[in-house]
Amino acid sequence: QVQLVESGGGSVQAGGSLRLSCAASEYDADINCMGWFRQVPGKEREGVAGIYISGLGISATYYSDSVKGRFTIALDNVDNDKRTVSLQMNSLKPEDTAMYYCVASRWKGRGVGCSTGGGVRWDQGTQVTVSS
């Protein structure tokens, strides 16, 4: 079963930048979307960004309204069928503080991003803290 290994995160002051990276341990034909969700205590997990991964080289992206124009998701590596994606987070705000989870699943379209239904894979999460 595919495992996700995430790196990056940490603490930064408002206006600063951080970069998250997530690597899938192996190829899985059922996975065509990778991205990130985030969660703060007491709230539901929310989608942040997602990227559609197609063997034809066609890709699409999803961003939540709260991060559009500040975050950029990219597919960094598909060598040996191991996919690595990154999330560049610029102009960070205190409200971006959350636990960020990498996700691998099925693409649900530009308005939704990655599915959270059956077969979804999550990593253990990494904390992002933005101080004012």
Side-chain angles (χ1 to χ4, degrees):
Q1 187 174 2
V2 173
Q3 294 185 342
L4 303 176
V5 178
E6 184 176 9
S7 61
S11 299
V12 68
Q13 289 190 328
S17 300
L18 287 172
R19 184 175 184 270
L20 304 179
S21 183
C22 180
S25 61
E26 61 187 76
Y27 175 77
D28 187 329
D30 290 332
I31 294 174
N32 64 0
C33 185
M34 292 181 70
W36 275 269
F37 282 66
R38 66 187 182 187
Q39 189 171 25
V40 297
K43 292 189 177 181
E44 292 187 357
R45 196 171 291 189
E46 64 168 351
V48 174
I51 188 164
Y52 171 55
I53 304 168
S54 168
L56 300 176
I58 301 171
S59 67
T61 56
Y62 159 80
Y63 297 98
S64 67
D65 288 341
S66 61
V67 307
K68 279 181 183 176
R70 301 188 297 121
F71 290 14
T72 302
I73 190 169
L75 180 62
D76 292 337
N77 185 15
V78 292
D79 290 347
N80 299 318
D81 294 325
K82 294 182 180 180
R83 300 152 177 177
T84 302
V85 296
S86 63
L87 184 68
Q88 180 65 42
M89 303 184 291
N90 298 329
S91 302
L92 283 162
K93 305 175 181 179
E95 49 263 45
D96 293 318
T97 296
M99 185 71 79
Y100 283 69
Y101 296 91
C102 179
V103 63
S105 61
R106 299 291 296 177
W107 176 253
K108 291 193 69 176
R110 291 180 184 271
V112 179
C114 298
S115 167
T116 58
V120 63
R121 282 80 162 173
W122 299 99
D123 79 318
Q124 77 286 353
T126 188
Q127 179 67 35
V128 170
T129 302
V130 184
S131 58
S132 58

